[in-house]
Amino acid sequence: MTSTLVDTSLRYRRRKLFSNIMVGAATAAALGMMAILALILGQVFLEGGRYLNLDFFTQRPQPLGQEGGGMANAIVGSLIVLAIAAVLALPVGFFTGIYLSEYASDRFAGFVRFVVETMAGVPSIVVGIFAYVLIVRQTGTFSAIAGGFALAVIMIPIFARAAEEALATVPFSLREGAMALGIPSWRIVLRIVVPTAGPGIVTAAMLALARAGGETAPLIMTALGNRFWHDGLMDPIATLPVQIWTYATGPYDEWHQQAWAGSLVLVGVTVGIIGFVRLVYRGTQFRQL
Amino acid sequence: MTQHDTSTATKEREVSGTSATEHPAVQASSPGQSHVAHVESTAPGSLRVDDLEAYYGSFRAVSPVSMAIEGRKVTAIIGPSGCGKSTFIRCLNRMHETARGAHIRGHIYLDGEDINGPKVDPVVIRRKIGMVFQKPNPFPTMSIYDNVAAGLKINGIKSKERSMDEIVEQALRQAALWDEVKDKLKQAGTALSGGQQQRLCIARALAVEPEVLLMDEPCSALDPIATLAIEDLIRQLAPQVTIVIVTHNMQQASRVSDRTAFFMMNAQRSGELVEYDTTAKVFTNPADKRTDDYVTGRFG
Ligand SMILES: Nc1ncnc2c1ncn2[C@@H]1O[C@H](COP(=O)(O)OP(=O)(O)O)[C@@H](O)[C@H]1O
Ligand SMILES: [Mg+2]
């Protein structure tokens, strides 16, 4: 007697084959992506590692033709511009995220979501032009403020949407439980929902910062760059991505070496942030289980 | 027509005679009198539901219901799934209106006052009429202590007579949880067992000292032992707080409640109050054939 549990029909075997092909293709695509990432990271670590040294973090660029020097001013500049961007973007993005997640039933919320999504899709060069016209032209100078503003415009939609997603993971039953205690809705959001989504919101902020920290084009048109230590927030300021871009596209070998070292620092910080966030997030999830 | 015994009916007439002068709102809606189940108690925390209909958009989930819920007693709501039990009790503390497109018709009075009155803030109603849900929902970022204190703390309510520690301890004692958690008040509420979490949610609701506690199938996610613990608790709480409990478990209704309301879906898939009487009467000698069929397990 033939087994009723084993299907030997042609149709079944075809389906099985198709299924195997699809799994194979998906695996190949995933492996391909990992290979590309490995190539990028490998080259950056190899080349960058060769030229990265302590001077890179402590010295500013040397005059042409002189060996050594570093990008200390660009690293500090990037931190300053990012801090300005964070101060501008995090509150706006936070409340936009809350609005989208908690009051999304309003008709106006649909419009807000559309605006946020459109903003996220605007190419960063356009954001740069916008900040140039709005701030650089008006103030008559490239500046850290203009750079921070441009990065803020890039960060807001990224942060708002990620914060919205983090808030949306908070089960409705918690809001309901709080409502049944006679807690007004805005207090429910701030005291129950936001703390519950806390790790997710922090993650969202870090990822938005990491994204903005690598932006180059809008900074070329706003912060410009500076071979020296900056002279205040209304002064052109060096940033790591712009410095890398300048040196990488320049004609000198020493510049290329510095650009590799800079790339390593930038990639290291970004990967570091993502890794750190993962670790923190994991920890809290375990604590909540 | 709902059933009543003559003694409570007489009492109801006396009460409505006095309350009509005190609360004009009650008088204004008196034409609906004939629908009202003829029980009304003078105990605090009593509710009167007057021709209440609940809608989701144009769908009427609950058809006109009138009933008086006795203060400081346990009232059970039973009926097949989907017949509008949850919708009904969510009207009682104005949680229903938080759903999309949801609205009601009719009136609900808490100790004679219309809870849907034009100047009444739903937030205030929910402080007086608390709710415990099907699935325990302690706040995951908070300790056991903070969960119990949440309603008062977040609302910035401070008692002059009692410290927060005392309030938390009393609420946990009332919820029969104190002995199990008194040494770990700083631990996360979510670390407790399901039954303990549900009692924590009851303690959380009691800490704001509500007049009424609504419970929507509070034991359906719990094991039998945890269920019995909650049933004991309900009996102990009744003298201090009015309890309205939805349950699909008929033994539970007969064990814990003083009065039972049986709901059923009508031809328009809308929930209707079929019978409302003392629990003993509903389970041993129901007036309606459909109630009899349901409590004897012939359908549902
Ligand atoms: N949020 C909602 N929106 C629309 N319809 C709903 C909603 N909640 C419940 N209903 C409908 O209302 C009716 C009553 O539901 P419910 O009160 O949950 O019944 P029960 O608690 O007795 O099982 C059902 O037909 C259900 O589909
Ligand atoms: Mg229900």
Side-chain angles (χ1 to χ4, degrees):
Chain A
M1 205 176 99
T2 57
S3 166
T4 51
L5 297 179
V6 180
D7 189 346
T8 52
S9 72
L10 187 63
R11 213 174 59 131
Y12 171 76
R13 275 184 286 159
R14 257 211 221 123
R15 183 152 58 82
K16 191 86 190 156
L17 182 69
F18 181 71
S19 157
N20 285 342
I21 290 173
M22 289 310 284
V23 170
T27 311
L31 286 176
M33 208 181 74
M34 278 159 67
I36 292 171
L37 181 66
L39 278 174
I40 294 173
L41 290 183
Q43 190 164 24
V44 167
F45 274 83
L46 274 179
E47 297 276 357
R50 211 172 329 145
Y51 307 115
L52 192 62
N53 53 28
L54 193 62
D55 279 356
F56 184 86
F57 296 99
T58 57
Q59 307 283 310
R60 62 171 190 82
Q62 291 294 307
L64 257 183
Q66 287 190 29
E67 284 284 310
M71 293 195 185
N73 59 337
I75 292 171
V76 171
S78 265
L79 291 178
I80 289 171
V81 172
L82 277 176
I84 294 169
V87 166
L88 296 175
L90 295 185
V92 178
F94 178 70
F95 286 108
T96 308
I98 286 181
Y99 183 78
L100 288 176
S101 134
E102 304 303 312
Y103 305 95
S105 49
D106 294 9
R107 190 170 303 162
F108 185 60
F111 177 69
V112 173
R113 178 168 287 110
F114 173 75
V115 168
V116 168
E117 269 162 24
T118 309
M119 227 171 120
V122 172
S124 60
I125 187 91
V126 176
V127 172
I129 293 168
F130 171 65
Y132 175 81
V133 171
L134 196 73
I135 300 196
V136 176
R137 280 264 191 82
Q138 298 300 316
T139 59
T141 174
F142 294 100
S143 65
I145 298 280
F149 176 80
L151 293 191
V153 173
I154 289 166
M155 275 174 73
I156 288 171
I158 300 172
F159 180 50
R161 286 203 302 185
E164 179 197 356
E165 267 170 43
L167 291 166
T169 63
V170 176
F172 183 71
S173 64
L174 292 185
R175 295 174 175 87
E176 219 173 31
M179 250 189 276
L181 288 174
I183 303 176
S185 88
W186 59 275
R187 280 192 176 148
I188 294 175
V189 171
L190 292 183
R191 301 288 296 273
I192 313 271
V193 178
V194 167
T196 306
I201 293 172
V202 172
T203 307
M206 304 272 270
L207 294 180
L209 276 168
R211 240 315 288 288
E215 281 295 342
T216 317
L219 290 179
I220 294 172
M221 283 178 288
T222 51
L224 190 64
N226 191 336
R227 294 182 46 75
F228 303 95
W229 291 97
H230 70 105
D231 225 15
L233 299 182
M234 286 314 292
D235 207 41
I237 190 167
T239 53
L240 203 46
V242 174
Q243 192 82 341
I244 291 169
W245 175 75
T246 312
Y247 274 25
T249 54
Y252 312 104
D253 274 349
E254 306 92 80
W255 279 21
H256 297 162
Q257 293 167 6
Q258 292 268 322
W260 277 118
S263 304
L264 177 55
V265 172
L266 203 55
V267 167
V269 169
T270 309
V271 171
I273 285 178
I274 292 169
F276 175 76
V277 157
R278 279 275 163 98
L279 214 71
V280 171
Y281 205 16
R282 237 226 206 122
T284 46
Q285 273 184 331
F286 278 142
R287 247 188 291 137
Q288 279 180 15
L289 278 181
Chain B
M1 186 63 206
T2 45
Q3 298 296 299
H4 59 84
D5 53 84
T6 11
S7 62
T8 43
T10 324
K11 198 169 147 209
E12 193 269 338
R13 272 194 291 277
E14 288 161 13
V15 170
S16 62
T18 53
S19 69
T21 44
E22 280 169 31
H23 305 288
V26 177
Q27 201 176 25
S29 67
S30 295
Q33 195 79 310
S34 60
H35 303 282
V36 180
H38 290 246
V39 247
E40 181 132 2
S41 71
T42 39
S46 62
L47 288 166
R48 212 184 78 194
V49 177
D50 220 349
D51 280 330
L52 178 75
E53 300 167 60
Y55 292 83
Y56 293 103
S58 60
F59 171 59
R60 181 162 80 170
V62 176
S63 294
V65 170
S66 295
M67 64 191 282
I69 293 168
E70 275 188 277
R72 306 298 185 251
K73 288 275 159 54
V74 180
T75 301
I77 312 278
I78 61 169
S81 136
C83 71
K85 305 181 295 295
S86 297
T87 305
F88 173 73
I89 74 159
R90 291 168 65 89
C91 292
L92 300 182
N93 68 340
R94 299 191 57 179
M95 289 290 283
H96 174 63
E97 66 200 57
T98 63
R100 197 173 243 271
H103 57 105
I104 66 154
R105 281 203 194 135
H107 296 275
I108 298 161
Y109 302 97
L110 171 63
D111 294 328
E113 272 189 88
D114 190 342
I115 68 166
N116 294 293
K119 294 209 181 96
V120 178
D121 186 346
V123 162
V124 172
I125 295 304
R126 293 179 202 133
R127 263 172 232 166
K128 294 195 177 208
I129 307 179
M131 189 162 200
V132 172
F133 299 83
Q134 211 162 339
K135 247 186 85 203
N137 54 357
F139 303 132
T141 55
M142 292 186 196
S143 66
I144 293 170
Y145 183 101
D146 287 339
N147 260 285
V148 179
L152 296 172
K153 257 193 187 168
I154 296 179
N155 280 319
I157 299 170
K158 278 209 187 76
S159 154
K160 287 200 185 74
E161 305 93 64
R162 297 188 304 156
S163 70
M164 190 61 87
D165 287 358
E166 285 168 336
I167 294 170
V168 168
E169 176 171 344
Q170 197 205 345
L172 284 168
R173 281 190 190 279
Q174 280 182 308
L177 189 58
W178 174 252
D179 289 330
E180 290 157 66
V181 301
K182 62 172 186 261
D183 300 321
K184 47 178 182 182
L185 292 173
K186 294 282 160 249
Q187 285 182 21
T190 41
L192 297 171
S193 74
Q196 289 174 322
Q197 286 189 22
Q198 194 61 300
R199 277 178 284 151
L200 178 62
C201 293
I202 293 173
R204 182 176 76 185
L206 291 173
V208 294
E209 299 192 313
E211 296 286 338
V212 182
L213 189 58
L214 309 173
M215 304 175 117
D216 191 354
E217 305 198 20
C219 303
S220 63
L222 306 181
D223 62 63
I225 291 174
T227 298
L228 285 179
I230 303 249
E231 288 180 9
D232 276 348
L233 174 58
I234 290 171
R235 288 300 344 165
Q236 283 164 25
L237 284 174
Q240 304 148 53
V241 58
T242 308
I243 292 176
V244 183
I245 176 173
V246 171
T247 175
H248 60 252
N249 178 333
M250 269 161 312
Q251 283 80 37
Q252 181 166 74
S254 66
R255 279 192 299 258
V256 303
S257 69
D258 301 298
R259 302 187 77 88
T260 297
F262 172 58
F263 277 69
M264 225 178 90
M265 228 153 27
N266 64 18
Q268 288 79 45
R269 306 190 59 76
S270 184
E272 259 181 8
L273 177 59
V274 173
E275 183 156 0
Y276 177 44
D277 212 317
T278 61
T279 298
K281 179 91 169 37
V282 168
F283 281 94
T284 55
N285 185 20
D288 196 292
K289 171 88 169 51
R290 294 168 293 175
T291 315
D292 195 28
D293 287 347
Y294 186 72
V295 299
T296 51
R298 274 196 282 274
F299 79 92

